[in-house]
Each structure stands twice: as C-alpha cells, then as structure tokens.
Amino acid sequence: MESISRKTFIQSSGLLLASEILVKKPDAFASGAVLRANKPAKKWTLKNVRLETGFMYEDGEVIATQTGLFRVEIEDGKIKAVLPNDPKAEATDAKGQLMLPAFRDMHIHLDKTFYGGPWKARLAKNRSVKDMIVFEQKTLPELLKTSTYRAEKIIELLQSKGTNFARSHVNIEPTSKLDSLKNLQKAIENKKDTFGTELVAFPQHGVFYSHSEQLMKEAAAMDIDFIGGLDPNAIDGSVEKQIDFIVQLALDHSKGIDIHLHEGGEPGLRTVEYLTQKVLENPALADKTFLSHCFVLARLEKPKLEETAEKLAHARVGVISTVPFGNTIMPIPTLYRYGVNVMTGNDSIVDHWNTFGTGSVLQKANMMAQLYGQSTELDLSRCLKLATCNILPLDEKGKQQWPKAGDEASVVLVDASCSAEAVARVSPVKALVHHGNLVYRN
Ligand SMILES: [Zn+2]
C-alpha cells in the first residue's frame, strides 16, 4: 500500500490508476490494498462491467439472470452514463466482474473493538448487560488509548468486504465521557474521502442508571445523527422515562433515533409500542427512527407479531437486525411482508461483547437466505437488498433499475455472474468505488 502515496493517488485520475498503474506497477495493487483519495476523481470509465439486464423464465419461474457487459462512465462522484461495451476503449478493465451497489453496514460499533490488536475472545463471566457495564467501566480507559487507530482498521476491513458506509454507535457514558466520540471523529475525518458514516450517540451504560443525561445532551449538540438508547426498562427502570428523554433530545436537535432493544417480554413490547406511538405523534421522526435487534419480535405469537409489524410499517419505524440464529430467529420475512424497513449490520467485530463478525454484510444477506429458505434464483437476488440497503439492480419483474445516469457512483465489483450467485456464495469483493473514487482493489 505504501507504494502508492496519498499524493500520487490524488494526482491520478481513476483511469490512470486502474489501467496504467495496474499495468506498470502491479505490486501497487497488492492483495487487499486499501487506497486513499482526497477528492473525487474527475472523470473515468470502466469497461467490461457486468450488469444484470433481466430474468430468464421457464414455466413462469425465474431460472437464470441475464447479464451483459457495459462501459460505465463516472464523473464527479456520480454515474454519468451506462454505455455499450467497447473492449478496446481506453478505460479501466472490470474484467467481466459484476457491478453491484456498494454495501452498507447499518449497525456497528467502530469506537470499541479489539480488531487491529491481538485476538481476544469474549469472557464467559460477562453475562448480562449490567455485567458488561461494570466490565466496560474497567476496560474502556485502556481501549480508548488506541480507539482511533482501531476504528481506522475496522473501516479498512469493511471496505475490503465491499462496504462504503456505516452507521456507527458510539459510547456516551461517564467512563468515556465524550472521548470515544472524539476519537472516532478523528478516524472518520482521516477516512472521509473513502468512507461514509453516520453516528448514533449511544448511552451504553443507560441514560439514568449511569447519570449520562448531561453527556447525552452535549453529544446531541455535536456532529452526530441519531440519539441512541438501551433497554429502557431493564437498565433505567422505566420505558417511558428513557424513551421520553430520547424523543425530546432527538426533536430538540433534529436527529433520528436508533435504540438497542435486547429485552423481551412485556417491557420489550411496551418499548416498541411506546416508541412507535411517539413517532406517530411526531412525524419528524418517521423514517428516522429505528429499533436495533428488537429480539422481542422473535417471541411474539403470530397475530401479535403481524399487528406489531403493521404498526411499525405504518409509523415508518425500521428494524435493524444482525440476523441472529440459535435461540433467537427474527421474523424478518414477516417484517418485509408488512413493509417494515429492515436493515443489517455486523454490530460487533471481535470485541468484548461478541467474538464473531467478519465485516461482511453480504454474508448477512447469505445468512438470511439460508435461515429463511430463500434458495431460488429470484429469492436469492432479492436477498441482496439487505447488503445494499434496499437498492437492487433488477426489480421483481426483472426490469433493470440500477445503475442509472445520476446515481451515486458508490459501487462494488464482485467475482460473481449475478446477484443470486453473489448472495449464495458470498462472492469475493474485487474492488470498491466510493463516490467515484476507487478506494479498494483486490
Ligand atoms: Zn450494537
């Protein structure tokens, strides 16, 4: 990676980068190279780009996805044109790889991870959320010393998995105060030309349980996008008290809401219903309010689940799920059926909460396909929307809807023949373009 300096990259157009440098200095693209860009490359073209063009049917069933090779012109961070292919054109060669919308990780904690340091599994003694709060009070001061560096490393991991955007929760509590946020903001600033983020001010130790009200107010006035929350009844002893605080803070600062809700049973359901009611009362919060995890939905009887899904869709409250399996299987197909906005994320990647996590949201789409029996060409192609935040190259009928001139040029090239194959095989990511800049190539 060091063989391409920041300056060299900035001065090079995408065309020069991917064609000339690739030819003259193949070592510059050593496996896993995460490149840096300071400003959008003005104009460049990709040739031999595979795009999906339609479905093939037999007896009314989709039996295959049609694709073709194209040239894609990119200018000022946008797709300028999709043109017939010309293998002889002077352009960056996509080598027949499939172009898809870049992936988005909508729930992650970039501010606290072991990733970037030595391997460390989670500890069995930390069972409950309250155990974790005590554990964090001891360990966070040490983690904070390297959290900017680690956040940058985890961003690079996400880029290598085709992700160019993340919604990151960031701890706001009396141990870190605002330092976790400030450290993460440094990492985001360092990566801002190659990676997009939005932040959730997350009261990880409860709002009232740890007396984090004032810190949350200060964070809300800083450069964040969402007000977070955590198990209102289990941690703060009152659903209404915590939700009222969060809703008011979000309204006062024109932010969205994204709450961690692990708790189930009656308090879990009451949290879902109370928050949904608040969003209906405050339309400014519609489409900007999310329940992360929301495990309570996994344990509802069918009629109650359907009623709740309908309410969430009506209030335009989204659900963000890591697609868990084992004791908890989320009712994701039901949520989709009722029109709930479902998104995914890795949540933890090697940290004290969870030892697992690959950094790939394409893998989450694959997991969803496996868990819910989505194994046909059509079903698999639909599952891609979990990784791309609902952008799909083809609509339900096989009509091409992406990419179009004017679309954001944030794309990924994968070694697959179509979306269905990419989901089924978690196909390798070969390149990532963020707002028109090539930022990763493998
Ligand atoms: Zn989380």
Side-chain angles (χ1 to χ4, degrees):
M1 177 51 229
E2 291 310 313
S3 53
I4 291 186
S5 71
R6 193 176 183 83
K7 204 170 155 204
T8 309
F9 187 85
I10 296 161
Q11 288 172 345
S12 307
S13 69
L15 177 74
L16 180 69
L17 255 179
S19 56
E20 294 195 7
I21 294 183
L22 188 57
V23 173
K24 290 176 185 166
K25 297 183 185 172
D27 57 321
F29 282 97
S31 178
V34 174
L35 314 173
R36 294 191 233 169
N38 245 15
K39 59 184 178 186
K42 281 304 273 183
K43 185 176 176 183
W44 59 299
T45 303
L46 274 161
K47 65 180 179 182
N48 298 322
V49 176
R50 187 168 304 282
L51 294 177
E52 295 182 345
T53 55
F55 289 133
M56 290 167 70
Y57 293 85
E58 193 176 285
D59 300 328
E61 183 183 353
V62 174
I63 55 157
T65 305
Q66 283 173 329
T67 62
L69 295 179
F70 295 85
R71 262 182 311 148
V72 177
E73 275 183 7
I74 294 170
E75 188 171 29
D76 292 331
K78 293 208 158 39
I79 289 174
K80 188 172 179 238
V82 179
L83 304 165
N85 197 34
D86 174 5
K88 294 202 182 76
E90 221 179 277
T92 303
D93 193 350
K95 299 176 182 165
Q97 288 155 0
L98 179 70
M99 180 184 279
L100 295 173
F103 306 146
R104 293 164 83 91
D105 188 310
M106 299 306 286
H107 186 121
I108 194 163
H109 297 258
L110 295 174
D111 64 323
K112 43 176 190 177
T113 177
F114 297 147
Y115 188 79
W119 160 255
K120 201 168 166 54
R122 73 177 292 269
L123 302 173
K125 67 180 178 186
N126 294 327
R127 291 181 189 280
S128 70
V129 174
K130 285 191 176 174
D131 292 341
M132 288 303 292
I133 292 172
V134 173
F135 183 74
E136 286 207 346
Q137 286 163 344
K138 279 188 280 181
T139 51
L140 284 177
E142 192 57 33
L143 267 181
L144 279 170
K145 291 178 188 167
T146 53
S147 68
T148 301
Y149 168 79
R150 286 171 194 246
E152 290 184 21
K153 286 287 145 201
I154 211 166
I155 286 171
E156 288 166 15
L157 173 72
L158 297 184
Q159 289 173 319
S160 75
K161 304 291 181 181
T163 293
N164 82 317
F165 186 91
R167 177 184 298 176
S168 178
H169 293 253
V170 54
N171 263 41
I172 305 294
E173 25 68 18
T175 305
S176 310
K177 300 187 176 61
L178 298 172
D179 291 344
S180 210
L181 175 57
K182 289 174 187 164
N183 288 358
L184 179 55
Q185 282 174 329
K186 277 183 214 153
I188 289 169
E189 174 64 22
N190 292 341
K191 295 287 184 187
K192 73 173 191 286
D193 297 319
T194 65
F195 194 80
T197 44
E198 57 189 12
L199 296 182
V200 186
F202 177 37
Q204 171 75 82
H205 300 175
V207 175
F208 302 99
Y209 181 65
S210 64
H211 306 290
S212 293
E213 304 98 299
Q214 191 51 37
L215 285 167
M216 283 295 289
K217 286 179 184 168
E218 287 172 39
M222 293 170 68
D223 194 13
I224 58 110
D225 305 281
F226 293 83
I227 308 298
L230 174 70
D231 295 336
N233 178 71
I235 304 298
D236 280 344
S238 165
V239 171
E240 293 77 9
K241 198 176 170 195
Q242 191 190 104
I243 298 290
D244 285 345
F245 176 87
I246 290 165
V247 165
Q248 197 55 52
L249 201 53
L251 291 171
D252 289 348
H253 294 270
S254 302
K255 308 291 184 190
I257 292 174
D258 191 335
I259 291 178
H260 277 70
L261 184 63
H262 312 96
E263 64 181 321
E266 205 272 325
L269 185 57
R270 198 144 45 85
T271 305
V272 174
E273 291 181 339
Y274 191 66
L275 180 63
T276 306
Q277 180 198 324
K278 287 288 154 193
V279 174
L280 285 173
E281 288 167 13
N282 299 282
L285 297 173
D287 294 322
K288 287 166 65 184
T289 299
F290 298 85
L291 286 152
S292 280
H293 307 308
C294 209
F295 297 139
V296 64
L297 299 179
R299 310 226 155 74
L300 296 179
E301 296 294 332
K302 194 168 176 244
K304 191 67 189 168
L305 170 63
E306 292 183 337
E307 180 196 321
T308 309
E310 199 169 6
K311 278 186 190 165
L312 289 168
H314 175 63
R316 310 215 299 272
V317 173
V319 171
I320 303 180
S321 178
T322 59
V323 196
F325 55 91
N327 293 332
T328 306
I329 305 288
M330 289 295 291
I332 293 177
T334 305
L335 296 178
Y336 274 136
R337 203 161 62 245
Y338 280 84
V340 178
N341 182 13
V342 179
M343 304 196 294
T344 195
N346 279 278
D347 195 4
S348 300
I349 298 176
V350 198
D351 68 15
H352 48 290
W353 289 83
N354 182 9
T355 308
F356 299 105
T358 62
S360 169
V361 287
L362 185 59
Q363 192 225 13
K364 296 288 178 185
N366 170 282
M367 212 184 300
M368 178 169 82
Q370 292 200 54
L371 263 181
Y372 306 108
Q374 310 284 297
S375 55
T376 66
E377 182 79 2
L378 179 64
D379 288 347
L380 283 165
S381 78
R382 305 298 89 187
C383 287
L384 180 73
K385 68 183 176 186
L386 196 66
T388 61
C389 254
N390 300 320
I391 307 173
L392 289 176
L394 301 178
D395 73 9
E396 199 83 13
K397 305 276 181 214
K399 187 170 176 288
Q400 194 183 40
Q401 55 187 7
W402 182 95
K404 294 262 184 267
D407 285 345
E408 180 183 313
S410 291
V411 306
V412 63
L413 293 177
V414 294
D415 189 8
S417 64
C418 62
S419 299
E421 185 185 4
V423 170
R425 305 181 71 188
V426 195
S427 300
V429 167
K430 306 305 284 184
L432 175 67
V433 174
H434 171 74
H435 287 279
N437 284 308
L438 180 66
V439 297
Y440 170 81
R441 188 162 179 125
N442 189 5

